[in-house]
Amino acid sequence: MEEVLESKSLLYTAYLLTGDWEQGRDLLQTALASTARRWSKLRDREQPEFYVRRALYHAHVDRFRLLSWGRETVTDTLPDQPSGRGADWADVVVQRQDIMAALRRLPMRQRAVIVLRYFEDRPDDEIAAILGVARGTVRSQTPKALTSLRTTLAGAGPSASSTTSGRGVTA
């Protein structure tokens, strides 16, 4: 279990699911605590990261349902726009913000499928196991999510039309 505690990819996944670093840390802490409580009941202790990822997704769904996380107001415009095209890092930040905003607009299952497939490079079978759904559900949700992302990013402007840091989500 100790090697799971050091996994930065879990924190990054939690961030992508929530769209906020602090909420992501809280979500990961909840998932780790949930896994630790059930540790003695786990069938396959050789793959603790699988259980933590599954707990992460389910904790995210639970928080969304129980708290007012779903009541956030999403806006189409960012508060601070770079004034010129000379600021490369600013463009990258804007692109990432556009992608995060588009991810937040996706339904939770589609968002989880996109995060697990394109940001964590997980196969369909593993995604289905983590989410507790059929492989066909994963395969049907992926094109729906990508179409929605493309539509949202196309409407966000030219900054959102390219990839971010080579991670594979394109418009």
Side-chain angles (χ1 to χ4, degrees), residues 12-56:
Y12 195 68
T13 298
Y15 163 70
L16 289 170
L17 287 172
T18 62
D20 180 78
W21 282 110
E22 291 306 315
Q23 289 179 7
R25 285 184 183 97
D26 290 345
L27 181 65
L28 179 56
Q29 186 65 31
T30 300
L32 288 170
S34 174
T35 304
R37 277 193 308 273
R38 293 178 177 88
W39 188 250
S40 64
K41 297 177 185 175
L42 297 181
R43 292 182 191 152
D44 183 10
R45 293 186 191 165
E46 297 298 316
Q47 297 183 5
E49 193 170 335
F50 170 81
Y51 291 106
V52 175
R53 287 189 190 287
R54 189 169 190 163
L56 195 63

Side-chain angles (χ1 to χ4, degrees), residues 21 25 28 31 51 53 58 64 70 79 81 89 92 105 107 148:
W21 282 110
R25 285 184 183 97
L28 179 56
Y51 291 106
R53 287 189 190 287
H58 288 287
F64 184 81
Q81 294 287 337
W89 284 107
V92 170
R105 288 186 183 115
S148 180

Side-chain angles (χ1 to χ4, degrees), residues 32 52 62 66 71 87 90 92-93 101-102 106-107 109 111 115 121 130 134 137 142 144 163 171:
L32 288 170
V52 175
D62 290 346
L66 296 176
R71 296 185 186 143
V92 170
V93 169
L106 289 175
R109 182 176 289 162
R111 183 185 325 168
V115 168
D121 199 28
I130 289 170
T137 302
T142 302
K144 290 177 185 176
T163 63

Side-chain angles (χ1 to χ4, degrees), residues 139-152:
R139 295 183 62 84
S140 70
Q141 292 297 304
T142 302
K144 290 177 185 176
L146 289 174
T147 299
S148 180
L149 283 173
R150 285 184 183 110
T151 302
T152 301

Side-chain angles (χ1 to χ4, degrees), residues 86-142:
D88 292 338
W89 284 107
D91 288 342
V92 170
V93 169
V94 170
Q95 287 174 350
R96 288 181 180 172
Q97 288 175 335
D98 289 344
I99 289 173
M100 287 307 301
L103 276 172
R104 281 191 296 271
R105 288 186 183 115
L106 289 175
M108 282 191 304
R109 182 176 289 162
Q110 288 180 9
R111 183 185 325 168
V113 167
I114 293 298
V115 168
L116 291 169
R117 159 119 1 110
Y118 295 103
F119 289 93
E120 293 195 4
D121 199 28
R122 305 238 175 234
D124 289 345
D125 293 332
E126 192 173 333
I127 295 168
I130 289 170
L131 300 182
V133 299
R135 184 173 185 260
T137 302
V138 172
R139 295 183 62 84
S140 70
Q141 292 297 304
T142 302

